[in-house]
């Protein structure tokens, strides 16, 4: 077990930061670390074409059917099924590739494919539009053509269309639609701020000030949208990172507490036990022992 969770950067040397890779037994043998918890600094769309793998995403098991798409946001901790026996393709791309305009940035920041507040997005292609496999193939074909002056524009356009169609299909199926409006906007902006600042342990009123709203208004928004208070959402994010580090690294409790902004190990121990009912050591032992 490493001292930190493995982090993959986008493959260097490619002319554009977009790539389609083959996944399956050969891939798993060559990149055995992917069957262990890891993060990436890029977005991933996996098209599992054959087999029934179980993909683990932040302690949640996602059971996949043949011919299904799985969307993984950058920096999420996940791992491939080490049992193998499945085949498919992975579409990988970065912010730098996709975000050509402010509208592109806004779309990628808000799309339910990578920012679903309630679930891990999966699309069953057997029940969806034939457009998705067709556009995926168009991206693959264009990637294999010699680059010219329009190569980037065409690829970015294909990818944008693919994500738009995928979002439509996701909304048609088992997606739980959250009513749009100020409450959703404030909640989403708040969760984005938590991601940036959870280690600094900002108070709820500091987040509210950052959003230019009152603490009461922020509480109203998050409870209406997610049924949780702002403090609960902050605690959830701290605890998720704590669990990641406890289970996936060999860092000591003291080192983990320090990484998460706790000045004393005893503070971290009390905090973790208060919210999980277990000490950090008990949680780590119960999970690894499964």
């Amino acid at each position: 077990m490493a001292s930190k969770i493995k982090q993959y950067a986008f493959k260097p040397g490619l002319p554009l930061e977009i790539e389609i890779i083959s996944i399956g037994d050969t891939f798993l043998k060559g990149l055995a670390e992917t069957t262990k918890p890891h993060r990436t600094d890029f977005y991933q769309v996996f098209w599992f074409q054959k087999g029934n793998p179980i993909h683990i995403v932040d302690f949640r098991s996602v059971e996949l059917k043949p011919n299904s798409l799985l969307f993984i946001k950058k920096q999420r901790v996940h791992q491939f099924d080490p049992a193998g026996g499945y085949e498919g393709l992975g579409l990988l791309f970065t912010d730098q590739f996709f975000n050509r305009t402010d509208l592109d940035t806004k779309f990628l920041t808000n799309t339910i494919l990578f920012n679903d507040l309630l679930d891990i997005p999966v699309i069953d292609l057997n029940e969806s539009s034939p457009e998705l496999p067709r556009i995926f193939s168009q991206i693959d074909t264009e990637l294999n053509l010699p680059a010219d002056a329009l190569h980037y524009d065409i690829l970015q356009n294909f990818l944008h269309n693919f994500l738009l169609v995928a979002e439509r299909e996701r909304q048609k199926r088992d997606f739980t639609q959250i009513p749009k409006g100020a409450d959703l906007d404030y909640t989403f902006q708040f969760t984005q701020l938590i991601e940036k600042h959870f280690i600094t342990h900002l108070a709820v009123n500091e987040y509210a000030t950052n959003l230019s709203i009152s603490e009461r208004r922020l509480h109203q928004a998050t409870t209406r949208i997610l049924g949780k208070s702002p403090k609960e959402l902050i605690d959830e994010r701290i605890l998720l990172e704590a669990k990641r580090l406890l289970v996936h690294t060999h860092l000591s409790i003291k080192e983990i507490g320090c990484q998460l902004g706790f000045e004393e190990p005893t503070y971290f121990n009390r905090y973790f036990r208060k919210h999980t009912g277990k000490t950090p050591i008990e949680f780590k032992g119960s999970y690894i022992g499964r």
Side-chain angles (χ1 to χ4, degrees), residues 5 30 52 61 79 107 138 147 150 155 203 206 223 242 247 281 287:
I5 298 169
N52 297 89
S61 297
Q79 63 193 96
F107 173 80
Q138 287 178 322
L150 296 176
L155 281 171
E206 293 176 282
T223 52
V247 174
I281 288 292
Y287 195 88

Side-chain angles (χ1 to χ4, degrees), residues 130-141:
E131 284 295 290
L132 286 172
R134 183 181 67 80
I135 302 173
F136 199 107
S137 295
Q138 287 178 322
I139 295 172
D140 194 23
T141 298

Side-chain angles (χ1 to χ4, degrees), residues 48-85:
F48 291 97
Q49 298 169 324
K50 297 179 181 178
N52 297 89
I54 297 177
H55 206 88
I56 307 297
V57 184
D58 277 328
F59 304 100
R60 296 176 64 179
S61 297
V62 183
E63 298 183 13
L64 293 153
K65 300 176 182 178
N67 207 28
S68 59
L69 295 173
L70 171 66
F71 296 80
I72 304 287
K73 185 179 181 178
K74 63 179 184 177
Q75 298 303 331
R76 291 206 79 164
V77 176
H78 67 106
Q79 63 193 96
F80 285 89
D81 191 335

Side-chain angles (χ1 to χ4, degrees), residues 1-2 5 37 59 79 241-251 256 280 283-288:
M1 191 182 296
I5 298 169
F59 304 100
Q79 63 193 96
E241 199 66 25
K243 291 174 180 178
R244 287 171 169 174
L245 296 173
L246 284 166
V247 174
H248 303 320
T249 74
H250 65 214
L251 293 172
I256 292 173
F283 174 82
K284 182 171 185 173
S286 64
Y287 195 88
I288 292 177

Side-chain angles (χ1 to χ4, degrees), residues 114-146:
F114 298 111
N115 303 282
D116 190 334
L117 296 174
L118 301 175
D119 203 0
I120 298 169
V122 174
I123 295 175
D124 184 349
L125 290 176
N126 297 306
E127 301 176 358
S128 66
S129 166
E131 284 295 290
L132 286 172
R134 183 181 67 80
I135 302 173
F136 199 107
S137 295
Q138 287 178 322
I139 295 172
D140 194 23
T141 298
E142 182 65 30
L143 278 169
N144 286 289
L145 292 177

